[in-house]
Amino acid sequence: MELEFKDVCKAVGASLTIGILFVVFLCLIGVIDGRVIQATNALTGEKVTRNALGFRHQNYLGKLVLAAFIAYWFLRFEKLNKYDLLLAVALFLVLYFVVNTKTAAFVVLLSLLFTFVLKRKNSIQWRYVLLGAFVLIQIAEVVAVIVYDPSNEVLKTINGLMSTRLSAAHSMLENYAITPFGQDVEIISSIDALEAGISSATLDIGIFNILLINGVFPTALFVAGWIYLVKASLAEKSAAFFTALIMVLIAGLFENWCFSLPTCFLLAMIPILIRKRQLGSLA
């Protein structure tokens, strides 16, 4: 029996949702540690509360919620109603104010804007506008990491807004060379650093994480896969699939987890796309 794209989305969305709710339930009844931590805002220095709701890290919960939401949003895209919009707003509020995982929260919020724009009659033009904006921002981010200088007030402010992601990636580039097939990179997450009482060593920006750890050639194949999917979504005029792709790509500007297995189920569609030759047959 041939695998359909909607079947994959249903399986991913359902399994992730059930798993998330089960872990949160165990946390609420006290079986699993809720892991509430006090973090410091890199820009303002203010203390913020982050609640992982039973998961090891707040961003890990955000990753799973975002992956489930992307699958759900694709399935509902053509028949969205006010309840779907309310669900998106509720998810944003929980992710931002309770869990405090900002990337996942804002990508969920941006999905509302993308949906409003891409469901218009001239959505093809808007897809190219959104794609062009993403490419420019990605290029600007790469340049900012390479030339980062803490004495530059503009870069310093942007770095603060991005929770020191620019300076962290710049530091990694200074300590590790870019290789053809990758290398072992010592990553110390904020949670591990907090527990061990040491400084963290993170590499959150997606493209640099993949490039330094996996190398040039695997990264090139990975990027080619995403380019293939984006081109297919444009060629087949699938606003729903394009929205799912752009949500993951935007998350990748700030987080390396957006290119991990839960959110990368979209890449698993490449063999199906090649087999069927068109996105329309995946509906």
Side-chain angles (χ1 to χ4, degrees):
M1 180 178 179
E2 200 166 43
L3 196 62
E4 300 289 343
F5 183 58
K6 282 191 175 180
D7 294 330
V8 174
C9 285
K10 289 175 182 177
V12 169
S15 59
L16 287 176
T17 300
I18 292 171
I20 292 167
L21 292 177
F22 182 64
V23 172
V24 171
F25 171 73
L26 293 178
C27 171
L28 294 177
I29 64 175
V31 176
I32 297 178
D33 179 19
R35 192 179 284 276
V36 178
I37 66 170
Q38 294 292 320
T40 303
N41 186 300
L43 185 63
T44 65
E46 297 178 348
K47 293 291 184 179
V48 293
T49 301
R50 311 189 75 187
N51 193 331
L53 296 175
F55 291 85
R56 188 169 191 273
H57 194 281
Q58 294 77 14
N59 288 343
Y60 188 73
L61 172 57
K63 168 179 68 174
L64 298 180
V65 171
L66 183 60
F69 178 76
I70 290 171
Y72 173 84
W73 209 247
F74 174 83
L75 292 170
R76 295 287 303 167
F77 193 85
E78 299 302 334
K79 46 188 177 183
L80 289 169
N81 56 41
K82 62 181 180 181
Y83 299 108
D84 297 307
L85 302 182
L86 287 173
L87 173 63
V89 172
L91 275 179
F92 165 76
L93 293 175
V94 171
L95 289 172
Y96 188 84
F97 292 104
V98 179
V99 182
N100 194 246
T101 176
K102 292 183 283 294
T103 298
F106 281 115
V107 171
V108 168
L109 192 63
L110 283 174
S111 70
L112 298 176
L113 174 62
F114 297 154
T115 300
F116 173 76
V117 170
L118 295 176
K119 286 176 78 71
R120 298 167 66 91
K121 291 183 179 180
N122 61 341
S123 70
I124 291 293
Q125 292 89 334
W126 277 107
R127 279 178 235 175
Y128 282 101
V129 170
L130 290 174
L131 183 60
F134 163 76
V135 171
L136 289 176
I137 294 172
Q138 180 68 86
I139 292 173
E141 182 181 57
V142 170
V143 173
V145 168
I146 294 173
V147 303
Y148 181 76
D149 183 349
S151 65
N152 184 302
E153 289 300 321
V154 174
L155 290 177
K156 184 178 179 180
T157 300
I158 295 174
N159 187 48
L161 290 170
M162 294 180 64
S163 301
T164 69
R165 283 172 170 80
L166 295 182
S167 58
H170 180 79
S171 177
M172 286 291 186
L173 283 178
E174 289 184 328
N175 293 315
Y176 295 94
I178 296 174
T179 62
F181 293 103
Q183 62 199 301
D184 291 328
V185 176
E186 185 180 17
I187 301 293
I188 305 173
S189 71
S190 57
I191 289 294
D192 290 333
L194 183 64
E195 292 177 346
I198 58 177
S199 298
S200 63
T202 59
L203 185 55
D204 288 332
I205 296 175
I207 189 65
F208 286 105
N209 184 280
I210 297 170
L211 186 59
L212 284 179
I213 294 176
N214 298 288
V216 173
F217 294 114
T219 300
L221 288 174
F222 186 79
V223 171
W226 284 102
I227 291 174
Y228 176 83
L229 290 177
V230 171
K231 288 179 64 177
S233 71
L234 293 172
E236 297 300 328
K237 303 179 181 179
S238 174
F241 196 67
F242 180 83
T243 302
L245 291 171
I246 202 69
M247 288 167 68
V248 175
L249 292 175
I250 288 176
L253 294 170
F254 308 97
E255 305 286 356
N256 61 63
W257 51 250
C258 71
F259 295 134
S260 62
L261 186 58
T263 43
C264 272
F265 71 90
L266 297 172
L267 281 177
M269 297 307 102
I270 292 178
I272 299 175
L273 285 167
I274 294 175
R275 179 180 176 82
K276 296 192 172 183
R277 300 290 182 179
Q278 55 180 10
L279 271 173
S281 64
L282 294 176

